[in-house]
Amino acid sequence: EVQLVESGGGLVQPGGSLRLSCAASGFTFSSYWMSWVRQAPGKGLEWVANIKQDGSEKYYVDSVKGRFTISRDNAKNSLYLQMNSLRAEDTAVYYCARGPGGSWYVLYWGQGALVTVSS
Amino acid sequence: EIVLTQSPGTLSLSPGERATLSCRASQSVTSSYLAWYQQKPGQAPRLLIYGASSRATGIPDRFSGSGSGTDFTLTISRLEPEDFAVYYCQQYGSSFTFGPGTKVDIK
């Protein structure tokens, strides 16, 4: 059974940093692109970033470029999102996500990690 | 960037009725790379439809997707109590964008 479990969320002040982790199990982690998708409270979904199987390609939504870094450790079956210079508008539930392989819709979602940026 | 518009914003229907949800793209969606998700309060989204019309594993056949180019539709043939939720479309042909969602609530 595919499982994606996020951790690392919490309350952080504007301008601060936070690192999210996603522990993957139930599939060969190193074989799949992985993504982060977020959802602000009461709002819709927004793709944030994704990363190729070997980490050689990374893509970001414009609003987080230069502030967020996606990375992975295939030996630990883990995905990460380093978030710096956080803003109030980054407040959201962050989902770890995986597609089917060979396409880009989301087949599996984690339960989400809440990040709140507030003073 | 492809912008997706969903209509209506809210759809108020009774169990047993037919629901028709629209997703319109600002540009043609490559190869009908369009997916639909269902989300209930406090839960992660669930994939319903991919490739505009292919049902995901385990999705009841009362859910169907259609469309191409810039106009796509999700149809729920007969609403069950568990279908009242928010529905999002997503295009994945050119980067990745989601629509703002349609809430289907009980009339």
Side-chain angles (χ1 to χ4, degrees):
Chain A
E1 179 193 4
V2 172
Q3 288 199 336
L4 301 170
V5 180
E6 301 93 339
S7 60
L11 175 64
V12 61
Q13 292 188 338
S17 298
L18 209 58
R19 188 198 198 203
L20 299 182
S21 300
C22 170
S25 61
F27 65 101
T28 304
F29 181 72
S30 60
S31 296
Y32 292 88
W33 281 78
M34 295 295 297
S35 302
W36 289 98
V37 177
R38 67 183 178 183
Q39 185 170 35
K43 302 297 184 182
L45 300 164
E46 180 182 43
W47 165 76
V48 175
N50 58 13
I51 184 169
K52 193 176 180 179
Q53 290 92 328
D54 62 359
S56 62
E57 294 182 37
K58 304 175 185 182
Y59 300 95
Y60 301 91
V61 67
D62 285 348
S63 59
V64 308
K65 283 179 182 175
R67 300 188 301 121
F68 289 13
T69 302
I70 188 171
S71 62
R72 64 192 296 162
D73 185 335
N74 287 341
K76 294 183 178 179
N77 292 336
S78 293
L79 177 71
Y80 306 102
L81 187 67
Q82 177 66 44
M83 302 182 291
N84 298 331
S85 303
L86 282 160
R87 305 166 180 167
E89 54 266 34
D90 296 318
T91 294
V93 173
Y94 285 74
Y95 293 102
C96 175
R98 199 211 90 179
S103 193
W104 293 102
Y105 54 89
V106 179
L107 186 55
Y108 297 103
W109 301 77
Q111 86 287 352
L114 177 61
V115 173
T116 303
V117 184
S118 175
S119 55
Chain B
E1 174 186 306
I2 297 178
V3 176
L4 299 178
T5 303
Q6 291 187 244
S7 61
T10 302
L11 195 53
S12 297
L13 295 168
S14 300
E17 289 193 295
R18 181 184 188 91
T20 303
L21 287 66
S22 173
C23 176
R24 180 161 291 177
S26 60
Q27 307 168 43
S28 183
V29 176
T30 305
S31 302
S32 295
Y33 286 158
L34 193 288
W36 290 92
Y37 302 87
Q38 176 193 68
Q39 188 178 35
K40 297 179 181 178
Q43 297 184 16
R46 177 175 73 144
L47 176 69
L48 300 175
I49 301 288
Y50 63 93
S53 60
S54 297
R55 258 188 312 275
T57 301
I59 301 303
D61 59 8
R62 64 180 182 273
F63 291 92
S64 64
S66 63
S68 63
T70 60
D71 290 300
F72 299 88
T73 300
L74 175 70
T75 301
I76 311 171
S77 59
R78 285 179 57 86
L79 282 164
E80 297 288 341
E82 62 268 28
D83 298 337
F84 292 92
V86 179
Y87 292 83
Y88 295 97
C89 58
Q90 178 214 3
Q91 69 81 22
Y92 49 98
S94 173
S95 190
F96 319 96
T97 49
F98 290 89
T102 290
K103 182 178 182 180
V104 179
D105 65 14
I106 300 176
K107 187 174 181 180

